[in-house]
Amino acid sequence: MSVSAGRLVHLININGRYDLSLPVWRCITCHKTWTPELQDLIQSGYWPGSFAFQTIYQIDLFTSFEQFKVTAPGLSRQAFVNMLENRSRTFGRIDTICGKTFQKAFLEWTYCRHEKEKLSGVDHFLCPACVPDAVAVSADGNRKLYRFNKAKEVEEQPFYEGIFIAKDEDVAAFVDFIQQNTNPVKGRGTCGQSTWAAARETSKKSSNKLDEEGLEVAVCRHNILLKGLNMKRGEIFAYPMFLQNEVATKTNCRFFCTDIMCRYWPYLQKVAQAVPRLQPLTEMKPFLSVMHAKGHSTSCEVQWSGKNQTGAGTTIGEEVEQVNSFLSRVALTTKYMSKAGKCHVHSLVFL
């Protein structure tokens, strides 16, 4: 057998860019040749940047970038690529690395891994300790996770659409259905001396520059993410109601926790009377988050606070705040991303 240099490829790993050639093996007896194909590269720990794989990435590079994103959520893709270019330049190699190609290949790799886990029965958005009966689910919005509107960009189909973050059209249809069957009351809700921005039945879009005004998520007592949605109109009651309805289809939840429960629960009962299919949601018990209850009136705290609910145990209803505290660090980069990119980053962090 003889080995010669074949087609040129660009290999990208944690040390930057290498311009190499694929080997061509030739039998000196029968003159048959062999060179690595796409399947051979994937089995050997590499991932193609395109179908013709002029650029290939070492899978270890993707795992390193993934760990960086979890450890330092504010790290951008461009900053990571700049680091790889600096590594190439330091050792005297060509330093040009396409960030968009790297991102696309990384997204494809993570999504293929997700599909493989689905075939194995792995569900990251389902808490093993809360199935089939969950004690409590907490929901709240994060206004820091907004995204600027970039109408001139060509939007790609998100890989993780509907897996964790609900489809925008499904949420919009639910909100319109609720508001068409009820008479929403305008204005913010008050309790005691406090006015709660999240305690409102209806709201208009705050700015035309924003495509998404934040992210609302629902978590269990163990900080496992269950479902999320993009807020388009601020923190209106229909958003936690959508999440409550989605969670109710997955598990039997006893308590539903929010920081404006004294205003949300009467609204839920009003909607349930107008929409009978939402009546099962009222079978859950209302739970006002223990720490947020200090900002409500004394009578409200006595009636709705979770520490006064029988069967709640040590549940505090503030678990979603711990998740939002972590997610706020991601907002440094996601506000400038495309819709597909933001959807992927959020799902990647949760996965």
Side-chain angles (χ1 to χ4, degrees), residues 193-206:
Q193 301 296 323
S194 303
T195 300
W196 301 88
R200 59 176 69 187
E201 299 183 18
T202 182
S203 177
K204 295 181 180 180
K205 195 171 183 178
S206 61

Side-chain angles (χ1 to χ4, degrees), residues 135-201:
V135 176
V137 170
S138 178
D140 193 16
N142 190 333
R143 296 294 296 270
K144 294 181 180 179
L145 295 172
Y146 61 87
R147 187 177 69 86
F148 290 113
N149 184 16
K150 296 184 178 181
K152 295 182 180 181
E153 286 195 357
V154 178
E155 287 287 352
E156 298 180 355
Q157 187 71 16
F159 285 111
Y160 292 97
E161 186 177 23
I163 296 177
F164 169 72
I165 300 178
K167 296 182 179 180
D168 291 343
E169 52 268 25
D170 294 341
V171 178
F174 180 84
V175 173
D176 293 339
F177 176 76
I178 294 299
Q179 296 188 351
Q180 289 173 3
N181 288 272
T182 58
N183 294 320
V185 178
K186 297 182 180 180
R188 299 180 181 180
T190 60
C191 183
Q193 301 296 323
S194 303
T195 300
W196 301 88
R200 59 176 69 187
E201 299 183 18

Side-chain angles (χ1 to χ4, degrees), residues 82-125:
N82 289 340
M83 181 271 293
L84 298 179
E85 291 179 338
N86 289 332
R87 294 281 293 174
S88 303
R89 194 180 309 113
T90 300
F91 294 100
R93 301 189 301 268
I94 298 176
D95 60 351
T96 304
I97 299 176
C98 181
K100 291 186 177 181
T101 304
F102 169 78
Q103 179 176 354
K104 184 177 181 181
F106 176 70
L107 298 183
E108 292 173 347
W109 172 74
T110 54
Y111 185 71
C112 289
R113 183 185 61 179
H114 169 70
E115 290 294 330
K116 181 180 178 181
E117 292 176 342
K118 282 177 58 178
L119 295 175
S120 302
V122 178
D123 189 351
H124 293 279
F125 303 116

Side-chain angles (χ1 to χ4, degrees), residues 7-9 22 36-38 41 48-56:
R7 187 162 60 88
L8 294 175
V9 294
L22 293 177
E37 299 295 336
L38 181 60
L41 292 173
S50 63
F51 183 77
F53 54 90
Q54 292 92 347
T55 301
I56 58 177

Side-chain angles (χ1 to χ4, degrees), residues 285-300:
K285 295 182 180 181
F287 188 110
L288 177 61
S289 306
V290 174
M291 297 300 296
H292 280 84
K294 301 300 181 181
H296 290 252
S297 64
T298 303
S299 59
C300 178

